[in-house]
Every structure is written in structure tokens, then in C-alpha cells.
Amino acid sequence: MVKIDSARLMGDLKRLADFGRYKTGVHRPTYSADDMASRHWLAGRLAEAGLVPEIDGIGNVLGRVPGSGPRVLAGSHTETQNHAGWLDGSLGVIYALEAARAIREAGAPGGGAVEVGSWADEEGHFGHFIGSRSFCGEFSEEEIDRSSDRTLGTPMRDALKTAGLAGKPRARLEPGRYSAYLEAHIEQGDWLEANHLQIGIVTSIVAICQYRVTFEGTQNHAGTTRMAIRRDAGVALTRFCCAIERRFPEVAGPRSVWTTGRITLDPGAPSVIPGGAEMLFQFRDDNPEVLARLERTLFEMAAEADKAGPCRVKAEALRKSTPAVMDPKVQSAFDAAAERHAPGKHTRMPSGAGHDAQYFAKYMPAGMLFVPSIGGISHHWSEDTKEEDIILGAQVFATAAADLLRRSE
Amino acid sequence: MVKIDSARLMGDLKRLADFGRYKTGVHRPTYSADDMASRHWLAGRLAEAGLVPEIDGIGNVLGRVPGSGPRVLAGSHTETQNHAGWLDGSLGVIYALEAARAIREAGAPGGGAVEVGSWADEEGHFGHFIGSRSFCGEFSEEEIDRSSDRTLGTPMRDALKTAGLAGKPRARLEPGRYSAYLEAHIEQGDWLEANHLQIGIVTSIVAICQYRVTFEGTQNHAGTTRMAIRRDAGVALTRFCCAIERRFPEVAGPRSVWTTGRITLDPGAPSVIPGGAEMLFQFRDDNPEVLARLERTLFEMAAEADKAGPCRVKAEALRKSTPAVMDPKVQSAFDAAAERHAPGKHTRMPSGAGHDAQYFAKYMPAGMLFVPSIGGISHHWSEDTKEEDIILGAQVFATAAADLLRRSE
């Protein structure tokens, strides 16, 4: 039976959190000096574990096992959001490393092995899921040319050069090599904690639909323009937001979520009536019917507001993904492993966040495992998970990986 | 009788608009190269008109008339908001120049004369009403030390040095020298135009009360955090804005105005629930009782929202001015001049915008005259006034100045 080494697991997780430490969290944006140092460290740890390490031309860190026999691919990402938590992404990469080591030590039938991938820029500093898309052949050179850092504005080509990655080849998925892709992650919500559970087995990854809603009014002096004749784009925007809070609960599904993450008033000066306003709005669900209903409602609301005046209102889709269904056999393997190590403490659930697994799901059976997030907090430096939950999750993950290797022999 | 030269007036106004021309407007921020060139041009025009010009250490351009006799001070400002209109400020300065010239040509009894002031940075690139406050002795060296350009961040000391003003003395108001301060300005609203009037005589300059309202929620992942447990600071802010639009009309005066000019969500990312939000809110009125009622309402609303939750809400005053009453005798002089040149086409009205006159009103009788703004537009490059209204306004202004000089002889 596969048995993880919990001290080794926790040691690696804590060591990884040293790179770019910020309060109790981490600031490690893609291709930053701290990020690249952590990738080189990971490559070293893969080598020490007997895997053949590679850092490819997009920053993906791979640990391969030469020879024949069943292969399972496991991984996640190591860069972080700005000033964010120590486990988001890192947990999945170290779980993959620990599963590879533990299975190697236990010996898998038929030379089976776990290979490890740490996918660059899942957090979207330069784009969306760049590393996994590159590995799957869905990220072109032209897209690299036109991408830049959303915080610093650095062109991606310059960032790759500074990171020492310019000119290096990009690794590509070898079709048919892997029987499954596995990814572990913190839940980033409070569902497991609120229900006193320790393991979540992901059924699907929700789709994210993102929109820009723009409001066009008339810029004018905030002191001399009577209230009656104003066309205040900021007032139109805040009214629209309040209308969303009234209307969306009526048409949403039980697990739908929606968020206005950014609001900009133009020109944004205290004594000027905003002549323009813009909001970034997104919603998520794993049910295509619900997604269609939410989009219809948003566009109807924009049309109604535009017609009612006094400002022009326009909603436009920026990007829309489709829900990614996790493989039933992988879900079963996670179920069995969870029931063995944490009987009655696991549940199936959708993932409200996007993950690299949604891209791999197009090319092979894919599955995800969640561990609880304390207070449901993530994308913040205070993000954390109980140590016993981290260790249990790694054991369930390794057991399921070994089971899938055995089954695919 | 004093008679202005309309061709000379329009020529100077149009020449001044050449400095920093932007579309049909002007981009001439304080101490920029274009701004300084325009100040030197103005000093030249003052000299040609027989006044003694000076550009002082804060950038004020003064045109004085040596000798004894009654003196009226007239002026406004020549710098502009970023990418703004050609008349805001400039109109008042050229009116003052034209009144000085016309009265000099007509000859005022007892050696009376109009002196001209163009006050630096009324538009607040570095502070608020810096030039007029400096002239009145209300702007210290320490305030210069800690001021910087709100757009570029340039320290004021550096900007003064680049502008060639470092080390120059600052001119100071000589107590008792002037019998009145007069300022003309475009209305910046649509009241005159909407009522088919050509001259507004300002009764008072409204007070501006400005507040920061902050909302503290919990930053979290926009995909994984259920709607029921969110503490979304952005939602709290937009609700607060909608509540303002419901409550303020019930407690406002007939001419009260209120504006949310800036909204910031923190961190402002599309996939992150805002953990913090902030708005800059201001209201204006010339009635102290109304101002007190509006402030009370704002603080009550913040306390109610804070109590209701789920976010913490706090409102704090950033700055509060007091209404500045215009001198009755100056208003009468404007009334008489307006009735003479535009019978039935003038009205008394408060000023919704702040002006240098509000500082001078503390030290001498002060008054203001408005001309119509087409469509009520200002602080935008499309700002304009009909040429016939510009010429009429200049004539009324010069007639009133001559009248006040005669009366103070």
C-alpha cells in the first residue's frame, strides 16, 4: 500500500512558501525572480525524487519518468496571485510530487509512475492558463507576442527573456501517454468546512462568463450642473448593480455566483460628474441552462436601462468558458480512496474556480480533489488549511493515483 | 462712458487659447510649459496696456497701475483642467485686462484704475486656490513643500523650479488698496441658457463638503465563495449609492447638488470579491442649514448601513468650505450695468462652483458675473459661449468696474 511521508510533504510545502513570502502568505507573480527561483527549486526536488526534470520555454516545470508502463499526470501551479496564499496551486504541485515519490517507493505494478507538472501562470498574470494550454498545444507564439503582465504591463516576451526562458523549447503533451490527469487544490470556499468534511471530489468545473458593462453619460461640472439635467454615468452604473442584486437571485441556480470585481468612473475626479463608467461583471455555474438564463437576464437589463435613460448602457461578453465534466472513473477512484482514509468525511461537489484540469479534461480523463479552506478564504495572504487536512488529502490523492495506475496496467 | 473693444477682446481670448490647444479646447495644467508661456504672454499684454506687469513666485500674473486714486482688482485664472475648455478662467482674466484698458482709455475720475490678477492654480493641480490664497497670505512655504501635482506626482518645488519661479518673491495683497474685487466666469451650468438670459450676478459661492465613504468586507474568490456568506464591499458601496439617490432628494434644497466622483474597489480584479471599497462623495449648497442636514443624512446612512451589515461602513469629512456671500454693493453695480446693456436679460444666482472670489471676499467687497455656457458644459474641451454673450459680458463687467471706481473716488 502507498504511504505518503507527511513530514517530507509539509517540509516541501513550507519550503516553497519561503519564495516570495508575504505576511503569512506569498507574493510570487509569474516569471518574477521569486517565481523563477521556486521553479528551479522544484526542478531540483523532482530530480532528488528520481524524476527527470525540465523547465520548458513557457516556464512549465515537468518531472518525467523514462521507460514504459502506465503513467498518470498530476500537478497544478506554483505562481500566486499578488499578495496571496501559500497553498493555492502549491498544494497540488507538492501533492503530485509526494504521490510520485510515495508510489515510486512502494513500487507500482508494471513500472507505473506518476509524472509531475507545474503549469505556468494558471493565475493569469499574462493570460489564462497559459502553461497548461501551451502543453496541450492551445497557446500560440502570436498569443505570447501580444500578451503582457496585467499588473506591471511588461510584455510577455520581455518577461520570458528576463526569466531566462527565451528560446527554450515548449514541452508538448504526448497523445495517449497518460491514463489520467489528477489535480488537487484547496477548496477556496467554505462548503467542506461548514459541513465538517475533509475531502471534496470534483464533479465538474464551472464555466466562467465575463462581461463588460459600459455607461455613457455627459461629463460635467459637479457644482454647476443641476441634478435634473445630469446624465451621471456613475449613478447609472450603481443603479445597474443594485438591479443585478434584485434580479439575479430570481433566475440563478442554487450554486450560481456573480461578482462585480472592478468599477471605473471616468474621469474619476471628485468635482466632475462621471461622463463614462465601466464595470467588469462575471457569473459562474456548471449548468449550461442556468448560464444561458443569466446571460439573457444581463442583456435584458442592459437593454432596459439603455431604453430608460438618461445614460446609454451596453453589455458585451468578454470571455465565456464551458463547464468541464470530471471523468467518472477518476471520481470513483477518489471516492474509494477517500472512503478508505476518511470514511464519511467526503463529498462530491462542483468547482467554482477554474483550474488547469479543465484544459486537460479535453485530452484525457481528468479529476480533482479538494481539501478544506479555513473560513473559505483564498486569493488572500491569510488563506490556510489545517495540517491534518493537508496530510489526509495527500494520502487520499496518492492512494487514488496508485489505484488508477493499477487499473490502467 | 466706458466702451470695450470687442475685436481686441476676442483676439486676446483666441490668442490665449493657442497655448496648449487641444481639439476645440485647451490642455494647460499649472506650471506646464504651455501654462508658463501663456503667463509670459499675458504679462506682455498687460505692459502693452500700460500696466506694470509682474509674475510672482507662485506664478500669479499681476498688472498694477502706479500712482494714487481708486483701485479695483479684477481677475481669474489662466491654467486649465486637463483637456478642458478655452474660456474657464481665461474669460475672467481677459475681461479684467479689457476693463483695465477700456477704463484707462476712457479716463476714470481721480486717477481710478483697474488692476489685473491672474491667480495661479485655481484649478487645483497642486492644491486649492493656491494663487489667490498666496496673495491673501493663506498659503505657507510648508504647504508648498508638501504639495505635488495630482496627475503627474511632481513635487511643487520641482515644478516651480522648472517653471523658472524658484526664489522669486510672492506678491501680497496691500490692505485697503482695493475698493472691490471683481471676477467674471462662464456659468458652467445651463441656468442662464435654459432661461434665455445673458448675465448672471452671483449672490454667493456655494460651500463644498467632501467625504470619503469606506466599505470593509472580506476579500475572497469570486468562484468558490457562496453568495450567502459573502461580505462584498463593492455590493455594499453600490447599495449605498442607490440609497443616496433615494434619500438625498428628500432632504436637499432646491439647488443642492451631490456627486460621487470616484469609486475604487479593492483589489479591483474580475475574479476577486472586493474586500474593500471607497467612494469620494461631495455635495454643495449656499445654505448652511441645508448643508448641515445633508451631512447629518450622510452620517446617519453610513451608521445604518454599518449596523445592518454585512460590511463595515464609515463616512468621514475630507474638506468643508463655507458659503461666501458676494457684496451687495457690487451686486448692485453689476445689476445696473446689466440692466443698461441687456435689459431684462440678467438674473441673480448662486455659484455652484468655487472661485478665487471666495477668498478675496474675506478681505474686501467681492462680486462675480456669469455669462452663459452653451449646453451648460464645462471642464471639457467642448465648453463654449456665444461670441455675442462674451462681448456683452465684457461690456457689463467694464461698466460695473468703472461705476465702482467712480463711487469709491
Side-chain angles (χ1 to χ4, degrees):
Chain A
M1 179 200 144
V2 170
K3 181 87 184 71
I4 64 146
D5 180 333
S6 57
R8 182 172 63 186
L9 169 83
M10 293 309 302
D12 279 344
L13 268 175
K14 286 173 183 168
R15 175 68 188 93
L16 182 48
D18 284 338
F19 296 95
R21 182 178 294 284
Y22 173 78
K23 299 188 181 178
T24 62
V26 172
H27 179 65
R28 204 161 58 214
T30 312
Y31 308 138
S32 64
D34 284 324
D35 176 54
M36 289 311 299
S38 75
R39 292 182 195 277
H40 286 281
W41 170 83
L42 176 63
R45 289 301 277 162
L46 289 167
E48 286 162 27
L51 285 77
V52 179
E54 179 192 355
I55 301 179
D56 85 344
I58 204 88
N60 287 338
V61 184
L62 296 152
R64 293 202 185 81
V65 179
S68 62
R71 294 285 179 272
V72 158
L73 182 63
S76 189
H77 62 94
T78 52
E79 84 284 334
T80 70
Q81 290 283 342
N82 294 331
H83 307 106
W86 72 297
L87 293 172
D88 187 335
S90 297
L91 179 115
V93 171
I94 301 301
Y95 271 22
L97 169 62
E98 184 56 28
R101 288 188 293 219
I103 287 169
R104 191 178 172 84
E105 287 158 4
V114 170
E115 296 191 348
V116 177
S118 174
W119 316 111
D121 205 34
E122 191 268 355
E123 293 292 4
H125 290 277
F126 289 85
H128 289 101
F129 304 98
I130 283 173
S132 46
R133 282 165 61 208
S134 172
F135 192 67
C136 294
E138 296 189 30
F139 193 69
S140 67
E141 291 293 315
E142 291 66 37
E143 212 170 332
I144 296 181
D145 289 336
R146 62 172 187 264
S147 298
S148 57
D149 187 312
R150 65 172 146 89
T151 308
L152 305 170
T154 317
M156 188 168 171
R157 286 283 177 210
D158 296 352
L160 287 171
K161 198 172 169 193
T162 307
L165 299 173
K168 290 187 87 171
R170 292 201 267 150
R172 280 291 299 277
L173 173 65
E174 189 185 313
R177 180 174 179 87
Y178 303 109
S179 56
Y181 173 77
L182 305 185
E183 183 167 356
H185 209 278
I186 53 168
E187 182 200 343
Q188 307 182 269
D190 73 334
W191 187 255
L192 293 175
E193 185 184 74
N195 292 284
H196 308 290
L197 298 167
Q198 290 184 285
I199 299 286
I201 293 143
V202 176
T203 51
S204 63
I205 297 174
V206 299
I208 304 179
C209 299
Q210 193 153 305
Y211 303 83
R212 180 190 290 125
V213 191
T214 48
F215 303 82
E216 188 195 317
T218 304
Q219 181 179 325
N220 217 330
H221 193 291
T224 56
T225 315
R226 291 179 293 132
M227 298 308 291
I229 63 155
R230 292 186 174 203
R231 296 177 66 237
D232 184 325
V235 169
L237 180 145
T238 55
R239 276 197 185 132
F240 194 80
C241 289
C242 290
I244 286 175
E245 297 308 314
R246 278 195 309 273
R247 296 271 295 269
F248 264 54
E250 297 166 6
V251 290
R255 277 183 178 274
S256 303
V257 289
W258 57 92
T259 309
T260 300
R262 191 181 297 164
I263 291 174
T264 320
L265 303 188
D266 179 41
S271 288
V272 185
I273 299 166
E278 186 183 300
M279 56 189 268
L280 291 184
F281 180 71
Q282 68 164 227
F283 52 78
R284 308 187 188 206
D285 204 282
D286 66 349
N287 181 338
E289 281 175 36
V290 171
L291 292 165
R293 204 161 63 217
L294 293 175
E295 180 174 275
R296 210 161 47 235
T297 303
L298 183 73
F299 284 133
E300 276 170 15
M301 287 175 57
E304 285 164 20
D306 183 70
K307 199 175 163 200
C311 294
R312 305 305 312 260
V313 183
K314 194 179 75 179
E316 53 180 327
L318 294 180
R319 68 185 181 104
K320 295 199 270 183
S321 60
T322 44
V325 177
M326 297 292 99
D327 183 74
K329 278 202 281 292
V330 177
Q331 291 187 52
S332 298
F334 278 136
D335 272 341
E339 186 58 24
R340 180 159 159 196
H341 298 291
K345 292 286 195 181
H346 55 94
T347 188
R348 291 197 176 192
M349 61 188 294
S351 168
H355 293 288
D356 291 306
Q358 73 199 57
Y359 283 93
F360 290 108
K362 294 198 266 181
Y363 299 92
M364 62 184 107
M368 288 195 74
L369 174 149
F370 280 168
V371 295
S373 294
I374 295 173
I377 291 167
S378 80
H379 281 192
H380 190 270
W381 54 265
S382 64
E383 156 200 297
D384 207 0
T385 296
K386 283 187 206 161
E387 188 163 319
E388 61 175 285
D389 288 340
I390 293 177
I391 292 167
L392 173 69
Q395 183 58 59
V396 171
F397 190 80
T399 300
D403 181 28
L404 287 163
L405 282 172
R406 219 174 2 253
R407 286 202 236 169
S408 62
E409 193 203 353
Chain B
M1 180 201 142
V2 170
K3 179 89 185 68
I4 64 146
D5 180 335
S6 57
R8 183 172 61 186
L9 169 82
M10 293 308 301
D12 280 344
L13 268 174
K14 286 173 182 169
R15 175 69 190 92
L16 182 48
D18 285 338
F19 296 95
R21 182 177 295 283
Y22 173 79
K23 300 188 181 178
T24 63
V26 172
H27 179 65
R28 203 162 59 215
T30 313
Y31 308 137
S32 64
D34 284 324
D35 175 55
M36 290 311 299
S38 74
R39 291 181 196 277
H40 286 281
W41 169 84
L42 176 63
R45 289 302 277 163
L46 289 167
E48 286 161 27
L51 285 76
V52 178
E54 180 193 355
I55 301 180
D56 85 345
I58 204 88
N60 287 337
V61 185
L62 297 152
R64 293 201 186 83
V65 180
S68 61
R71 293 286 179 272
V72 158
L73 181 63
S76 189
H77 62 94
T78 51
E79 83 284 334
T80 70
Q81 290 284 341
N82 295 330
H83 307 105
W86 72 297
L87 293 172
D88 188 334
S90 297
L91 178 116
V93 172
I94 302 301
Y95 271 22
L97 169 62
E98 184 55 30
R101 289 189 292 219
I103 288 170
R104 191 178 172 83
E105 287 158 4
V114 169
E115 297 191 346
V116 176
S118 174
W119 316 112
D121 204 34
E122 191 268 354
E123 293 292 4
H125 290 277
F126 289 85
H128 289 100
F129 304 98
I130 283 173
S132 45
R133 283 164 59 207
S134 171
F135 192 67
C136 294
E138 297 189 28
F139 193 69
S140 67
E141 290 294 314
E142 291 67 36
E143 211 169 332
I144 297 182
D145 289 335
R146 61 171 187 264
S147 298
S148 58
D149 187 311
R150 66 172 147 87
T151 307
L152 305 170
T154 317
M156 188 167 172
R157 285 283 177 209
D158 296 354
L160 287 171
K161 197 173 169 192
T162 307
L165 299 173
K168 291 187 86 173
R170 293 200 266 149
R172 281 292 299 275
L173 173 66
E174 189 186 313
R177 180 175 179 87
Y178 303 109
S179 57
Y181 174 77
L182 304 185
E183 183 167 356
H185 209 276
I186 53 169
E187 182 199 343
Q188 307 183 269
D190 74 333
W191 188 255
L192 293 175
E193 186 184 74
N195 292 283
H196 309 290
L197 298 168
Q198 291 184 285
I199 298 285
I201 293 143
V202 176
T203 51
S204 62
I205 298 174
V206 301
I208 305 178
C209 300
Q210 193 154 306
Y211 303 83
R212 179 189 292 125
V213 190
T214 49
F215 302 82
E216 188 197 317
T218 304
Q219 181 179 324
N220 217 330
H221 193 291
T224 55
T225 314
R226 291 179 293 132
M227 298 309 290
I229 64 155
R230 292 184 176 205
R231 295 177 67 237
D232 185 323
V235 168
L237 180 145
T238 55
R239 276 197 185 133
F240 194 81
C241 289
C242 290
I244 286 175
E245 296 309 314
R246 278 196 309 275
R247 295 272 294 269
F248 263 53
E250 298 166 8
V251 290
R255 279 184 175 272
S256 302
V257 290
W258 56 93
T259 309
T260 299
R262 189 181 299 165
I263 290 174
T264 320
L265 303 188
D266 179 42
S271 288
V272 185
I273 300 166
E278 185 181 300
M279 56 189 268
L280 290 185
F281 179 72
Q282 67 164 228
F283 52 78
R284 307 186 189 207
D285 204 283
D286 66 348
N287 181 337
E289 280 173 36
V290 172
L291 292 165
R293 203 159 65 217
L294 293 174
E295 179 174 276
R296 208 161 49 235
T297 302
L298 183 74
F299 283 134
E300 277 171 15
M301 287 175 57
E304 285 162 20
D306 183 71
K307 198 175 165 199
C311 294
R312 305 306 312 260
V313 182
K314 195 179 76 179
E316 52 179 329
L318 295 179
R319 68 186 181 103
K320 295 199 270 182
S321 60
T322 44
V325 177
M326 297 292 98
D327 183 74
K329 278 202 280 295
V330 177
Q331 292 186 51
S332 298
F334 279 135
D335 272 340
E339 186 57 25
R340 179 159 158 197
H341 298 291
K345 292 286 195 181
H346 55 94
T347 188
R348 291 197 176 192
M349 62 187 294
S351 168
H355 294 288
D356 290 307
Q358 73 198 56
Y359 284 92
F360 290 108
K362 295 197 266 181
Y363 299 91
M364 63 184 105
M368 288 196 73
L369 174 150
F370 281 167
V371 296
S373 294
I374 294 173
I377 291 168
S378 81
H379 281 191
H380 190 269
W381 54 264
S382 64
E383 156 200 296
D384 207 359
T385 296
K386 283 187 206 161
E387 188 162 319
E388 60 175 286
D389 288 339
I390 294 176
I391 292 166
L392 173 70
Q395 184 59 59
V396 171
F397 190 80
T399 300
D403 182 27
L404 287 163
L405 282 172
R406 220 174 1 252
R407 286 203 237 168
S408 62
E409 193 203 353

